[in-house]
Amino acid sequence: MNVPVSPAETLRASLAGLLDGLPPRQAAQAVERLIANYRGATPTDAPILRDRADVAAYAAYRMPATFEAVSAALAAFADAVPGWVPGSHVDVGGGTGAATWAVSATWDGPREVTVLDWAEPALALGREIAAANPALSGVRWQRSRIGAALTIESTDLVTVSYVLNELTEADRAALVDAAASAAQAVVIVEAGTPAGYARVIEARDRLIAAGFHIAAPCPHSAACPIVPGEDWCHFSARVSRSSLHRQVKGGSLAYEDEKFAYVAATRLPVTPAPARVVRRPQIRKGQVLLDLCEADEHLRRTTVTKRHGDLYKAARDAEWGDSWPPAE
């Protein structure tokens, strides 16, 4: 009996093969240099990923985390728009295509897919990796400047993951506006830092102004109740660590948690979560503390105890980022 292999496992296997013949120390040094530079003040016309060795090392290190974060955001979006399946997808700044893998893992069926990125080596490697996934056989890998001059063809879904930090404020605004003009749905993922959250909120405001409804993570399309500078909204995705991860991080754990912030918005009718768990649930003796963003535009802590019966059992199983209460 053949056991189906998940897209995540297929991706990890493909990425492991990229490092064959590349000395581990060289791969680790490339990742360390790229981490230091890639999210910095690099002009958008000067890609950091210079050659295949750079891209292979960075992809092996970052693609699994990007895949898991985008998959989590897409799953929340799919819950809010049940029954909808994108027939086309444009991944802006998609590099080696982690978001395209996440979209294919979220929704079955064929679709037209285009990955836009400035770095030709990233696109070439993305095409190579995608050969392991039949759902990505027809993807177009297109070199394009990501910024004010960007043109996005009409599509059902646009994803933008870990890209906004590389752009100027004007280019970020232009990209979000272009996505809103082209797509029925836009999903944006950034690093789960205060600065990443600020960029997500900036994009969220522009999408709402363009007539979009927020599908996730927010249970409403009103202003975010978090006071700027006092806190930030972010979530966590569990990522299996490769040997390269352990070497670069100097750790021994088989996993790490990717912190990310996101917004998923659409012109379609939405049924957002009644409330969203916005911090890791705290399990105490006989009770669970849940920090929730609620539909009335407030943040509240809710205590669920054994007296709540089945709801208490659900609270013990609840995870950071889940809808609350759980669907029956």
Side-chain angles (χ1 to χ4, degrees):
M1 179 179 177
N2 293 327
V3 178
V5 178
S6 72
E9 292 170 327
T10 301
L11 178 59
R12 280 195 295 270
S14 298
L15 292 173
L18 294 178
L19 300 179
D20 289 346
L22 189 63
R25 182 172 178 80
Q26 181 182 347
Q29 288 175 339
V31 169
E32 288 169 345
R33 176 177 59 80
L34 292 165
I35 288 173
N37 293 323
Y38 197 71
R39 303 302 176 190
T42 305
T44 56
D45 59 351
I48 286 294
L49 300 177
R50 302 171 304 190
D51 54 31
R52 191 185 188 284
D54 271 0
V55 178
Y58 195 75
Y61 185 79
R62 279 299 304 166
M63 270 189 85
T66 301
F67 170 84
E68 296 294 351
V70 176
S71 292
L74 293 174
F77 174 80
D79 286 344
V81 193
W84 182 75
V85 177
S88 53
H89 169 215
V90 175
D91 186 18
V92 177
T96 52
T100 66
W101 283 76
V103 169
S104 71
T106 304
W107 292 286
D108 292 331
R111 64 184 52 87
E112 296 179 0
V113 182
T114 302
V115 178
L116 304 177
D117 201 89
W118 172 243
E120 182 60 41
L123 294 168
L125 195 71
R127 186 184 298 110
E128 179 182 330
I129 298 167
N133 187 344
L136 302 180
S137 60
V139 174
R140 290 191 303 161
W141 303 85
Q142 182 176 323
R143 191 178 186 194
S144 179
R145 168 78 179 270
I146 309 301
L150 177 69
T151 299
I152 304 175
E153 295 181 2
S154 180
T155 186
D156 287 345
L157 173 66
V158 167
T159 54
V160 185
S161 53
Y162 298 93
V163 172
L164 297 183
N165 189 44
E166 300 165 25
L167 306 178
T168 64
E169 183 177 354
D171 280 351
R172 289 198 301 269
L175 189 160
V176 174
D177 289 348
S181 296
Q184 282 190 301
V186 178
V187 177
I188 295 173
V189 179
E190 282 286 297
T193 61
Y197 160 74
R199 289 187 292 272
V200 166
I201 287 298
E202 180 183 82
R204 180 184 186 275
D205 290 344
R206 297 194 77 87
L207 291 169
I208 292 171
F212 278 65
H213 311 292
I214 303 302
C218 321
H220 57 78
S221 296
C224 177
I226 293 176
V227 177
E230 292 188 4
D231 202 353
W232 73 100
C233 181
H234 65 298
F235 302 94
S236 180
R238 181 62 52 91
V239 183
S240 296
R241 268 183 170 175
S242 66
S243 59
L244 177 59
H245 276 84
R246 291 193 288 272
Q247 185 174 358
V248 171
K249 290 289 185 72
S252 58
L253 290 177
Y255 64 86
E256 65 180 8
D257 291 325
E258 171 73 4
K259 304 298 195 304
F260 65 99
Y262 77 98
V263 62
T266 181
R267 296 189 184 278
L268 302 163
V270 297
T271 306
R276 180 79 58 186
V277 180
V278 292
R279 288 289 181 272
R280 197 179 303 280
Q282 299 180 43
I283 300 178
R284 308 278 176 82
K285 186 176 181 180
Q287 61 182 14
V288 181
L289 307 182
L290 299 177
D291 290 300
L292 303 174
C293 180
E294 300 189 326
D296 64 359
E297 306 160 35
H298 287 87
L299 297 169
R300 289 190 179 90
R301 172 167 287 184
T302 295
T303 301
V304 185
T305 69
K306 286 184 175 180
R307 289 179 298 175
H308 291 95
D310 289 343
L311 201 61
Y312 172 70
K313 296 177 184 177
R316 288 185 62 85
D317 292 336
E319 296 184 357
W320 188 4
D322 282 355
S323 171
W324 186 262
E328 296 182 358

